Amino acid sequence: MPVITAPEQFNVGDLYVDLAALGDVPLLLKCEGFNFAGSVKLKAAAEMVSAAERDGRLGPGSELVESSSGNLGVALSLVARSRDLRFTCVTDARCTQAARKVMTSLGATVHVVTEPHPAEGLLGARIRCVRELCARDEKVVWLNQYANDGNWLAHYLSTGPEIFSAVPDLDVLFIGAGTTGTLMGCARYLREQRPGVAVIAVDTEGSVTFGGPPGTRHIPGLGTSVRPALLDESHVDDVVVVPEAEAVESCRRLAGHGFLFGGSTGTVVAGARRWLATAGGAPRAVAIAPDLGERYLDTIYDDEWVARAYSAAPWRQS
């Protein structure tokens, strides 16, 4: 009988959806949303907070602050609450109302940035806001998920080993690129254990992470307007860039089979479909599904929102 004393101790690591069995591409989808934070970000949140406590950055009276488009903010709200820490999340208008409500329910303060930085977009504006908060009070601690080694280390220690244990004959792994913590941690681990594995990064159109032109993005999670400091492209074999409308269609296709996933997952699956369509042979493939879909009911699963966001006829689930 599993018994836990803190919410971050529970995280399902061995659940996969076989998309080939659904008449889709030959791909195993590793589900990372079955924990109390609802996303893969719980792993990084717990590791970064624990590291800050170990090195003395966090102590009595400290307040955490972090920039997040949603999922990490929820995960840090949960970890902070369980450890009796104050937490402020600096986000922007793309953060779903559901994510904001979860954070405030867990006692976090949510600060929403509305004006983008002229060169670095909303992410740049969020980071500047975080720095201002830190400058006002020395007890405010910024974990900085974009450059914190604990972000990728969490996945080197957990997600990577979980995948290798479940699929030791893995040929290709698809990972969405946001802060690139999941990407870097899994890639580093698999490079050591199975050097022949192809690591494919999936990015969203409008993201500058891999040198693409900046553009408007509506779905939080993947993509950046400032290149992440954690990214080391030597660990990436290929990059697939997915238009957001295609990610929405991918989410709705999965929902048509009863699997309600989030926007990041839809992007990753769409990218995997694109890459596998041109791959030779029958590679043993896994993709990481970072999140579930409940927080996107008012956005990617809402016909009116989709029509407004993408100037397209509303899609309906089949």
Side-chain angles (χ1 to χ4, degrees):
M1 178 178 64
V3 176
I4 63 173
T5 57
E8 62 266 29
Q9 294 171 359
F10 175 78
N11 206 336
V12 176
D14 58 357
L15 181 62
Y16 292 75
V17 176
D18 184 354
L19 296 191
L22 306 180
D24 207 324
V25 289
L27 181 70
L28 293 175
L29 192 57
K30 186 181 193 301
C31 302
E32 287 284 347
F34 291 100
N35 56 55
F36 286 101
S39 83
V40 71
K41 292 292 188 178
L42 182 58
K43 293 176 175 177
E47 177 61 33
M48 289 189 294
V49 170
S50 294
E53 289 176 331
R54 289 193 299 267
D55 65 21
R57 292 178 62 208
L58 276 180
S62 296
E63 178 179 355
L64 286 170
V65 64
E66 186 56 84
S67 158
S68 169
S69 61
N71 282 339
L72 184 74
V74 170
L76 282 173
S77 298
L78 180 151
V79 173
R81 187 72 169 191
S82 73
R83 304 190 189 193
D84 198 27
L85 295 166
R86 292 178 297 155
F87 171 56
T88 295
C89 179
V90 178
T91 188
D92 59 61
R94 292 171 300 179
C95 179
T96 66
Q97 287 294 330
R100 296 184 210 181
K101 288 179 179 179
V102 173
M103 287 188 271
T104 55
S105 296
L106 289 168
T109 299
V110 180
H111 180 84
V112 181
V113 170
T114 57
E115 293 297 324
H117 183 271
E120 297 177 343
L122 287 166
L123 175 56
R126 282 169 19 204
I127 291 174
R128 279 165 171 74
C129 179
V130 168
R131 287 177 172 149
E132 289 174 5
L133 292 173
C134 291
R136 293 176 193 169
D137 188 343
E138 62 181 12
K139 290 186 177 180
V140 173
V141 177
W142 178 27
L143 294 175
N144 191 2
Q145 62 165 325
Y146 312 103
N148 191 318
D149 285 338
N151 190 345
W152 68 261
L153 183 61
H155 301 287
Y156 178 90
L157 295 173
S158 61
T159 316
E162 288 165 2
I163 293 169
F164 184 66
S165 176
V167 191
D169 58 344
L170 181 68
D171 295 313
V172 56
L173 177 63
F174 299 93
I175 310 175
T179 63
T180 70
T182 309
L183 176 63
M184 291 295 98
C186 291
R188 286 187 169 103
Y189 181 83
L190 289 169
R191 287 282 184 263
E192 296 174 2
Q193 304 299 322
R194 189 169 168 80
V197 170
V199 176
I200 313 301
V202 181
D203 201 6
T204 185
E205 202 171 77
S207 168
V208 306
T209 300
F210 294 95
T216 300
R217 290 176 288 114
H218 301 283
I219 302 174
L222 301 187
T224 65
S225 54
V226 180
R227 179 183 167 92
L230 292 178
L231 177 61
D232 180 350
E233 290 191 57
S234 69
H235 295 294
V236 178
D237 295 292
D238 202 357
V239 179
V240 182
V241 178
V242 175
E244 281 194 340
E246 189 174 326
V248 173
E249 190 278 333
S250 181
C251 284
R252 289 174 169 230
R253 186 191 300 191
L254 289 166
H257 294 284
F259 294 102
L260 198 69
F261 285 107
S264 296
T265 298
T267 306
V268 173
V269 172
R273 285 196 190 102
R274 283 185 168 219
W275 194 90
L276 289 169
T278 61
R284 183 76 156 146
V286 169
I288 295 177
D291 54 359
L292 300 178
E294 289 88 345
R295 292 176 193 156
Y296 300 86
L297 298 180
D298 295 332
T299 55
I300 62 177
Y301 292 104
D302 182 86
D303 288 342
E304 293 182 2
W305 183 91
V306 171
R308 289 195 306 269
Y310 305 109
S311 301
W315 293 313
R316 300 191 183 279
Q317 296 177 22
S318 57

